[in-house]
Amino acid sequence: MMPTNYVIRKVMQQDNKPIAHLIRKVFIEFDAPKEGTVYSDKATDYLFEYFDTNNAALFVLEEKGEIAGVCGIYPTLGLPKSCIEIVKFYIRPESRGQGFGFALFNTCQLEAKAKGYSQLYLESIPDFKTAVNLYLKLGFTQLDKRLGETGHFGCDLWFSKSI
């Protein structure tokens, strides 16, 4: 059963530092590649500003007043017009396994639909096995090649889902 004392809201400027810390902490936890991933992406330190663009949205999940997770949608260059990328999908270790990932994903999926998108795309790495299993549970299909111009050459798993 999912905890009831959480809130999902849009990112605010004061979230920049704690979100960047959360993301990089997950990479360190899984000893995941740092180059060519969001870990080394300069935008990771300025996500409020990065998502301040048309059709982008970044959602923060707060549990007991602390940032427990994050997930967003972004109109990545080179994607088909009907497709938007699911990005920055991270949950802190102590908040995993409680349904927060599903809640964040559903929020992003609803936002994508409201903005007129009919397909979701995301990239990952094999180190994030639990997340990859979640993507498959959520109905994503693995692709043979990258879509769009994410700039994250370190990601070698690609997924798509119709919504």
Side-chain angles (χ1 to χ4, degrees):
M1 186 169 167
M2 196 156 136
T4 55
N5 104 6
Y6 76 96
V7 66
I8 295 177
R9 60 170 175 77
K10 287 201 174 175
V11 67
M12 297 184 289
Q13 192 164 30
Q14 62 262 33
D15 298 327
N16 279 345
K17 191 173 182 177
I19 291 173
H21 177 74
L22 167 65
I23 291 170
R24 290 186 174 115
K25 186 177 172 185
V26 170
F27 273 78
I28 291 166
E29 172 190 355
F30 288 93
D31 196 25
K34 293 168 184 63
E35 291 303 313
T37 63
V38 69
Y39 185 96
S40 60
D41 192 333
K42 289 179 183 16
T44 300
D45 293 308
Y46 305 98
L47 292 176
F48 172 79
E49 292 79 5
Y50 184 74
F51 280 85
D52 188 21
T53 185
N54 287 341
N55 290 337
L58 184 64
F59 296 96
V60 172
L61 186 141
E62 282 187 0
E63 181 185 21
K64 299 175 186 166
E66 291 186 27
I67 293 176
V70 63
C71 187
I73 57 172
Y74 195 84
T76 301
L77 289 175
L79 288 178
K81 189 175 180 159
S82 63
C83 185
I84 194 159
E85 187 179 8
I86 295 282
V87 294
K88 316 296 186 250
F89 195 13
Y90 298 95
I91 307 288
R92 68 182 179 180
E94 60 270 28
S95 298
R96 294 181 195 143
Q98 300 179 56
F100 292 140
F102 283 105
L104 275 167
F105 173 80
N106 286 333
T107 300
C108 288
Q109 182 172 277
L110 289 171
E111 184 78 5
K113 275 184 168 181
K115 292 180 180 296
Y117 292 96
S118 59
Q119 184 181 8
L120 302 175
Y121 170 74
L122 65 83
E123 296 184 347
S124 192
I125 54 177
D127 304 76
F128 298 152
K129 289 180 181 100
T130 303
V132 169
N133 288 334
L134 176 63
Y135 305 146
L136 296 172
K137 266 188 188 174
L138 291 169
F140 280 86
T141 303
Q142 192 164 354
L143 304 173
D144 294 331
K145 63 180 181 169
R146 168 179 284 113
L147 299 180
E149 302 168 25
T150 66
H152 295 147
F153 60 84
C155 294
D156 56 2
L157 295 175
W158 313 285
F159 299 88
S160 178
K161 177 185 177 175
S162 294
I163 54 173

